[in-house]
Amino acid sequence: MLLNKDFELISQITHVEIIATGSGIRIQPYLNKTYGRGQWRKMKGRAWIRLYSTGEVEYVELHWFQAHGIGIRDMKRKRPLSQD
């Protein structure tokens, strides 16, 4: 599974949506410089995670950036969600 410095992704990401592309991504120059040029998209979805600090399991909304051939980068948890 994908690893992050704060949490571990322990389920598949569901309810995936594109929330920004192209010039709508304010940090696109950073993404191109750090990870390489690509067709970057800002995405959101939902998944179960395990927090490293407490071991607590949460169902959360996640945001990340992704580009074809580069993959998922800079994943962040945004807010806990109720199970649905």
Side-chain angles (χ1 to χ4, degrees), residues 37-77:
R37 294 189 61 78
Q39 188 109 21
W40 288 101
R41 291 177 167 81
K42 185 171 184 180
M43 311 287 287
K44 78 175 181 178
R46 299 174 179 185
W48 287 95
I49 63 167
R50 178 176 293 117
L51 300 174
Y52 286 141
S53 59
T54 63
E56 187 178 345
V57 175
E58 293 182 336
Y59 186 62
V60 296
E61 180 177 300
L62 300 168
H63 288 199
W64 69 91
F65 297 96
Q66 141 178 359
H68 181 74
I70 298 172
I72 295 173
R73 298 290 185 263
D74 294 353
M75 184 174 283
K76 300 173 189 165
R77 67 184 169 115

Side-chain angles (χ1 to χ4, degrees), residues 20-43:
T21 60
S23 62
I25 300 175
R26 290 179 276 161
I27 68 164
Q28 191 167 13
Y30 160 80
L31 295 169
N32 286 332
K33 183 176 180 181
T34 306
Y35 304 115
R37 294 189 61 78
Q39 188 109 21
W40 288 101
R41 291 177 167 81
K42 185 171 184 180
M43 311 287 287

